[in-house]
Amino acid sequence: MDFSKLAEIDFMKLYVIPWSINILLALAIFYIGRRLAKTITKGIDTLMHKAEVEETLRRFLRNIINVVLLVVVIIAALEQLGVNTTSVMAVFAAAGLAVGLALKDSLSSFAAGVLLIIFKPFKIDDYIEAAGTAGTVQSITIFHTVLSTGDNKEVIVPNAQIYAGTIVNYTVNETRRIDLVFSISYDDNIKTAKDLIQQVIDADPRILKEPEPLIAVGALADSSVNLNVRPWVKTDDYWPVYFDLLEKVKETFDANGITIPYPQFDLHYAKPPAP
């Protein structure tokens, strides 16, 4: 009996054939799993597109889902080869924890960016005030939002700072109210001043009839009677009408003898006694 041939046959049965089968199965798992991962990712991307998910978020989620599915496929292939995947998963978990701690601020901005894109408190071309900055929104990315200020400066604000604070959106509604205060002298006739302001408002077609503009006494101040003037306009007309009203009301007051008083106070002093 040739023991060397028997040993060779046993080696083939015990190691070569099982390992060959396992390698082939692992390769098959990886190949089929990768194609399946692409199909699933594509299907989810199609659903997100139909749900009108923002392109930046959709692209990011598509990549994340694809990576997660590939990791699952690789782990399944390694298990087929007999590799202890528990230790592999522990390594991935430790690496993920380390990366998470190192990128804590970036991950906060990422999470805030996802929420901003999902809930849409503002959109491109909106004029907003957030994180101590006001400007027109130029772009919204996963990690930051780009604003253009009124003097054409570009400001890049981390999304975490925006979402953690108050967001004021000045252009989200179609109409806005202009709040102005005009001061007149105590010697002037209040009704005359109100009629003159009403004439200026009626002459401007950009001012809306509904809601009706408000003209009312707002305060009896130390040196003036303050009239609150609150007309409504379309949002795009806000600043042009704001500046025009200030100028035209001042000109109308001047032409009709209505005084806009300066702050003043009376000073009384006692005459010193004669020596």
Side-chain angles (χ1 to χ4, degrees):
M1 181 179 293
D2 191 343
F3 290 100
S4 61
K5 289 184 178 181
L6 290 175
E8 184 178 347
I9 293 172
D10 290 339
F11 180 78
M12 292 287 292
K13 290 181 178 180
L14 293 175
Y15 298 101
V16 176
I17 294 176
W19 267 100
S20 298
I21 295 173
N22 287 339
I23 291 173
L24 290 174
L25 289 175
L27 290 174
I29 290 173
F30 179 77
Y31 177 77
I32 297 173
R34 188 177 63 175
R35 292 182 64 87
L36 185 60
K38 288 183 178 180
T39 301
I40 294 174
T41 303
K42 186 176 180 180
I44 294 176
D45 182 63
T46 301
L47 292 176
M48 289 191 294
H49 180 71
K50 290 181 178 180
E52 298 182 352
V53 177
E54 202 272 337
E55 172 63 24
T56 303
L57 177 60
R58 195 172 81 237
R59 184 169 58 250
F60 183 84
L61 292 178
R62 182 175 64 236
N63 293 335
I64 290 293
I65 292 170
N66 188 53
V67 170
V68 171
L69 292 176
L70 282 178
V71 169
V72 173
V73 170
I74 291 172
I75 290 175
L78 291 175
E79 282 187 345
Q80 182 60 43
L81 291 175
V83 177
N84 184 3
T85 55
T86 302
S87 58
V88 175
M89 294 177 66
V91 171
F92 276 118
L97 179 61
V99 171
L101 292 175
L103 301 177
K104 180 178 64 175
D105 294 337
S106 296
L107 291 176
S108 297
S109 288
F110 161 73
V114 172
L115 294 175
L116 289 175
I117 292 172
I118 291 175
F119 293 109
K120 298 179 180 179
F122 53 83
K123 61 182 184 302
I124 304 299
D125 293 332
D126 279 353
Y127 188 86
I128 68 168
E129 181 179 345
T133 302
T136 302
V137 179
Q138 299 298 312
S139 65
I140 307 168
T141 70
I142 288 297
F143 293 102
H144 61 261
T145 296
V146 180
L147 302 179
S148 177
T149 63
D151 54 354
N152 206 29
K153 291 185 293 188
E154 183 180 274
V155 182
I156 300 175
V157 187
N159 288 331
Q161 295 183 16
I162 293 178
Y163 205 78
T166 301
I167 301 172
V168 181
N169 192 331
Y170 291 96
T171 53
V172 66
N173 296 318
E174 293 184 358
T175 60
R176 285 185 65 187
R177 189 184 72 188
I178 298 176
D179 289 358
L180 294 172
V181 177
F182 293 101
S183 299
I184 63 174
S185 170
Y186 274 97
D187 296 330
D188 293 326
N189 186 284
I190 294 176
K191 184 178 184 307
T192 300
K194 292 172 67 175
D195 289 342
L196 291 173
I197 295 173
Q198 186 66 55
Q199 291 175 18
V200 173
I201 290 176
D202 292 340
D204 195 326
R206 296 170 298 181
I207 297 176
L208 303 177
K209 302 302 180 183
E210 292 293 334
E212 184 179 357
L214 171 70
I215 305 173
V217 175
L220 301 177
D222 293 337
S223 57
S224 65
V225 177
N226 295 337
L227 301 178
N228 289 345
V229 179
R230 296 177 178 176
W232 287 82
V233 297
K234 291 183 178 180
T235 299
D236 292 339
D237 293 331
Y238 181 88
W239 287 113
V241 174
Y242 182 96
F243 295 129
D244 284 349
L245 275 181
L246 287 176
E247 180 178 346
K248 290 177 181 178
V249 168
K250 173 64 168 63
E251 292 175 348
T252 303
F253 278 1
D254 290 345
N256 290 273
I258 300 296
T259 304
I260 299 178
Y262 297 100
Q264 57 184 334
F265 61 92
D266 295 329
L267 179 63
H268 302 274
Y269 65 95
K271 184 178 181 181

